[in-house]
Amino acid sequence: MTGEETINTVEIAKGQFDEGRYSECLTTLNSMKTSTALNIKVQLNIILCTYLKKGSEHDLEWLLENLYSVEGKISYISLLQMNKESEEEEIDEVEKAVLLYNIALVHFQTKNFDKAVVILEKLFKLIEPLEEGLVYKICFLLVECYLSTYQTEGAAIVVYYLDKQMSAKSAESEIHKARMHQYKTRLFAQQKCLKACKREIKNVLSVSGTTASSLFLKSEFEYLRNNFKKSCKLLNSAPKTCPSKEHIPTLYYNNFGCMHFKMKKYNLGVLYLSQALEANTKAVKAAPQGCNSTMYSINHHYQILYNYGIVLLHAGQPKAAFNCLSQAATVYSRNPRLWLRIAECAIGVVKQSQEIEQIQNCKSSTVKAIVGSGIYRKTILNTNFQNHPKKCSAGLLSEDPTPSLTYAALCLNNALELLPPSNSGGPVNISALPAAPLKDVSKLRASILCNQAYVWLGLGDPLQALKPAQELFSLTSAPVNLRLLGSVYAAEALILLNRNNEATNCLAPEFVGAIINSTNCQNKTYEDDASSTGSSPIPGKVPANQETTVQDVHNIIILNSVALYCMKRDLNRAKRILAQHLSTLNDMEVPAQATMLLVYIELRQGNTEAALSILKQQQINLQLPTSTT
């Protein structure tokens, strides 16, 4: 085939490809016999046509495998040329650009963003000699990858480069103008530059009009400003179809679920996110058969599962949340915050099962039976507790994910391993996909340590619990309420280890006061952060129903110190501390544990009449709530 015939055949094949006549294009390409350099391009197009033609049974994995096969041939030829063992026409990096771009595109569609970024960054370094159309495709795809992984610095560099290129070529810039404004809006939104974001949204609306994409971007901007009513209104006004391949109902319900989560309307959030999962499933099933690139691009199953699990956890449904987040962990296994959430779900399930069991028994776990009547009425205490802690099993890694304290311990170890050492120093940028990366891990580390101490106490291993508890209250960057909980758990572990004097030091007023008045933590508590999806301050408590303040933890410490002095037979000191504490509380605020401690002290001191008087005055329920302390 002569050079002129080859050019004509190439033009015919290109026309057939652009018109979607892939079977005819495949026949034309197979008839070409060319040099090695051009043959590589022909092979690439044959692979693409085979994948795209109607009725094809090949998937993206097959496409990626064949693209890498062609790339391997090119590398082999280049190696022979370096050793001067081949007389074939030289194949340089520019010739490989189209092939590498296609490989990166497949990685992007299968959501392997890191692999796509590696290839695209390599192409970006040699972008000058490439043709203009390919340059824009590489840059746009690289920006998409950066924004999908919250790499704002890299995205800003590429956007700046595109701005320079488009300002020099006004005709080409008009074609991509709307797309560039959308990228800038998303970039400024991730950087929390709201003024710049507002300016770019105006540009998007002026260029694109009220399309689904522009209204979704404006809705996200109002979401960042905590203007949820306006954000909901914008979503409702958005068109139900979009020129891109995105499925609008899926995004609509997902965004509504996230907004209701921010508004702390967790049950509504659960409803919308369940609808988002259903819409996503329908969209995937409705994707064109024989070409699954569309199916990959519109499938947001695991991102929605992650959001759904977080909202379920806050809605007081830890079992359902555990199932969702465990599935999400198969994709986002490098997210330390996700492992913490799974552990919190497991703790919540255990806590709920204990409460249900206690309600079904209709008795205090300390009372076995009541016998006799009148003056001969006796209470028999239970010596075998049903909720006796179990040791962590050796075969934990081989067990199926079940919501138990042993599995929670494994999840917390994973979360801690994914964090940098506490003494590492320097800036932190921990990947937390599908959410934004972590810039500050001090609160996250404190929450992990707090949960670890709680779990190991629940598993009956105070020695294991002591280490995270001591590390927690020594962590000056941690929130003050979590540091106080660390001292509570450390004291409990020390008591179980028969080290009562050390436990007394952990609960001493001077020690507690030093934590509260710490300059690094003063007036700071662990609160739910919308960008980090919140956390449970006290392990075993569902976040939506329990918010722990410094005063709450301080009250627990006082009661624990009184109990400790009772154990040491120092009843006078215990009574004095308890009386002083009760004098600061209203009658309605006196906890049942405090009253029972006072009754216990009076009985031990032989003051039966005083104990009966206290019980009659308080009229409390003798069935006390379960507690770890």
Side-chain angles (χ1 to χ4, degrees):
M1 186 178 289
T2 64
E4 186 176 346
E5 290 175 339
T6 300
I7 294 173
N8 292 335
T9 307
V10 168
E11 289 178 353
I12 293 170
K14 185 178 184 302
Q16 292 169 340
F17 186 90
D18 292 339
E19 293 172 7
R21 294 149 53 195
Y22 302 117
S23 297
E24 296 177 25
C25 182
L26 191 59
T27 304
T28 305
L29 291 170
N30 284 323
S31 66
M32 296 178 64
K33 293 182 180 179
T34 60
S35 62
T36 303
L38 187 57
N39 191 40
I40 294 297
K41 297 179 182 179
V42 172
Q43 288 182 38
L44 170 60
N45 286 294
I46 288 174
I47 292 169
L48 294 176
C49 287
T50 304
Y51 171 74
L52 293 170
K53 72 177 182 179
K54 188 175 181 180
S56 174
E57 297 180 354
H58 299 299
D59 56 14
L60 283 176
E61 286 77 10
W62 175 90
L63 176 61
L64 190 62
E65 181 182 350
N66 281 269
L67 291 175
Y68 270 119
S69 175
V70 176
E71 199 265 343
K73 291 178 182 178
I74 294 176
S75 299
Y76 178 70
I77 293 170
S78 299
L79 181 62
L80 292 178
Q81 288 168 349
M82 288 177 60
N83 297 330
K84 297 181 180 180
E85 297 177 11
S86 173
E87 296 180 359
E88 299 285 357
E89 184 180 343
E90 184 178 355
I91 304 173
D92 57 18
E93 293 296 325
V94 176
E95 297 289 342
K96 292 169 58 177
V98 176
L99 172 63
L100 293 175
Y101 169 77
N102 280 279
I103 293 174
L105 183 59
V106 175
H107 282 309
F108 174 78
Q109 289 179 333
T110 55
K111 299 187 178 1
N112 290 322
F113 301 116
D114 292 338
K115 292 182 179 179
V117 166
V118 171
I119 296 170
L120 293 169
E121 284 179 342
K122 180 180 178 182
L123 290 174
F124 189 69
K125 291 178 181 178
L126 50 90
I127 207 165
E128 293 300 332
L130 301 180
E131 61 182 37
E132 188 175 326
L134 184 58
V135 167
Y136 280 111
K137 288 181 179 180
I138 291 171
C139 290
F140 287 147
L141 186 58
L142 183 55
V143 173
E144 282 283 359
C145 291
Y146 278 141
L147 292 177
S148 298
T149 53
Y150 296 91
Q151 299 182 51
T152 54
E153 293 181 2
I157 292 171
V158 182
V159 167
Y160 176 74
Y161 172 81
L162 284 170
D163 257 345
K164 287 177 62 179
Q165 291 293 111
M166 293 170 66
S167 61
K169 301 170 183 177
S170 57
E172 188 69 26
S173 65
E174 290 300 320
I175 302 173
H176 302 295
K177 195 172 183 180
R179 195 171 185 178
M180 277 298 298
H181 286 309
Q182 288 184 7
Y183 283 142
K184 288 180 181 178
T185 303
R186 291 169 60 189
L187 175 61
F188 291 137
Q190 288 189 11
Q191 293 176 331
K192 302 295 189 293
C193 301
L194 297 185
K195 288 185 178 179
C197 185
K198 184 177 182 179
R199 183 179 65 248
E200 288 302 327
I201 286 175
K202 289 180 179 179
N203 293 333
V204 170
L205 291 171
S206 64
V207 174
S208 303
T210 55
T211 62
S213 299
S214 58
L215 289 176
F216 267 73
L217 284 172
K218 190 172 182 181
S219 173
E220 182 181 358
F221 170 71
E222 297 298 340
Y223 172 85
L224 293 174
R225 296 173 65 190
N226 294 327
N227 192 353
F228 303 119
K229 287 185 178 180
K230 190 171 182 180
S231 183
C232 291
K233 187 177 179 181
L234 287 165
L235 282 181
N236 284 324
S237 64
K240 303 307 178 187
T241 57
C242 183
S244 67
K245 294 180 181 179
E246 289 291 357
H247 190 244
I248 295 299
T250 303
L251 304 181
Y252 172 86
Y253 289 124
N254 177 74
N255 289 6
F256 253 92
C258 292
M259 275 189 285
H260 283 87
F261 170 78
K262 285 276 285 191
M263 292 187 284
K264 298 189 177 181
K265 297 179 180 179
Y266 303 120
N267 289 322
L268 277 174
V270 168
L271 174 64
Y272 281 115
L273 285 165
S274 65
Q275 291 177 324
L277 278 175
E278 292 176 7
N280 184 76
T281 303
K282 290 179 181 177
V284 171
K285 288 181 178 179
Q289 298 296 318
C291 176
N292 64 353
S293 60
T294 303
M295 182 269 287
Y296 274 103
S297 62
I298 64 174
N299 190 1
H300 302 286
H301 179 71
Y302 288 101
Q303 295 98 315
I304 298 171
L305 266 183
Y306 179 89
N307 293 336
Y308 193 32
I310 296 299
V311 179
L312 283 168
L313 176 60
H314 282 74
Q317 301 180 47
K319 175 64 175 177
F322 179 86
N323 294 333
C324 292
L325 295 179
S326 296
Q327 292 181 56
T330 60
V331 175
Y332 306 116
S333 59
R334 301 294 299 173
N335 184 345
R337 194 165 50 203
L338 175 56
W339 289 110
L340 171 62
R341 298 292 173 263
I342 296 173
E344 288 176 344
C345 291
I347 294 169
V349 171
V350 173
K351 188 71 176 177
Q352 282 187 351
S353 64
Q354 290 174 350
E355 291 172 354
I356 292 171
E357 185 178 350
Q358 184 177 348
I359 292 171
Q360 290 174 344
N361 291 339
C362 298
K363 292 181 183 180
S364 169
S365 60
T366 60
V367 177
K368 183 177 182 179
I370 297 176
V371 296
S373 61
I375 60 173
Y376 301 106
R377 188 171 183 266
K378 303 292 183 183
T379 300
I380 302 175
L381 299 180
N382 191 0
T383 56
N384 297 316
F385 293 99
Q386 294 181 357
N387 295 326
H388 189 75
K390 299 178 181 179
K391 296 291 182 180
C392 184
S393 61
L396 185 59
L397 290 173
S398 61
E399 294 179 1
D400 293 330
T402 54
S404 62
L405 291 183
T406 52
Y407 192 75
L410 175 63
C411 294
L412 292 168
N413 285 336
N414 288 348
L416 207 56
E417 286 295 325
L418 290 169
L419 296 182
S422 55
N423 57 354
S424 59
V428 176
N429 189 13
I430 306 297
S431 174
L433 291 175
L438 302 171
K439 302 295 183 182
D440 180 14
V441 296
S442 58
K443 291 182 180 180
L444 180 61
R445 186 188 305 278
S447 188
I448 293 170
L449 292 172
C450 185
N451 280 273
Q452 269 192 327
Y454 176 90
V455 166
W456 285 115
L457 284 172
L459 290 169
D461 195 337
L463 193 61
Q464 286 277 16
L466 185 59
K467 182 179 178 181
Q470 289 178 330
E471 186 178 348
L472 176 59
F473 70 66
S474 303
L475 200 63
T476 56
S477 59
V480 61
N481 56 342
L482 293 187
R483 291 186 67 195
L484 290 174
L485 277 175
S487 68
V488 172
Y489 294 145
E492 183 171 350
L494 289 166
I495 290 171
L496 293 173
L497 292 169
N498 294 322
R499 294 157 62 178
N500 291 347
N501 290 333
E502 294 178 58
T504 304
N505 295 333
C506 290
L507 299 175
E510 299 82 8
F511 180 79
V512 174
I515 292 177
I516 295 175
N517 298 324
S518 174
T519 54
N520 291 338
C521 308
Q522 193 170 7
N523 298 326
K524 292 184 181 179
T525 59
Y526 197 105
E527 299 174 351
D528 285 357
D529 178 8
S531 63
S532 64
T533 67
S535 179
S536 172
I538 287 189
K541 300 293 184 181
V542 179
N545 302 330
Q546 178 73 23
E547 292 184 1
T548 305
T549 64
V550 174
Q551 187 59 44
D552 293 332
V553 184
H554 188 256
N555 291 339
I556 294 171
I557 291 174
I558 295 294
L559 296 178
N560 282 5
S561 62
V562 171
L564 181 58
Y565 283 121
C566 289
M567 292 175 62
K568 296 173 69 174
R569 305 289 195 274
D570 193 350
L571 299 178
N572 291 329
R573 188 170 184 180
K575 187 175 182 179
R576 184 173 67 253
I577 294 173
L578 185 57
Q580 183 179 358
H581 177 62
L582 292 177
S583 65
T584 63
L585 303 176
N586 299 325
D587 290 340
M588 299 298 294
E589 296 177 346
V590 176
Q593 294 96 326
T595 304
M596 294 305 293
L597 279 171
L598 188 56
V599 170
Y600 172 82
I601 293 170
E602 295 291 357
L603 288 174
R604 288 299 302 269
Q605 291 181 333
N607 302 326
T608 307
E609 294 296 328
L612 287 172
S613 175
I614 293 168
L615 290 174
K616 291 177 182 178
Q617 181 182 356
Q618 294 295 331
Q619 293 292 309
I620 65 168
N621 181 6
L622 291 178
Q623 183 179 332
L624 300 178
T626 57
S627 174
T628 60
T629 57

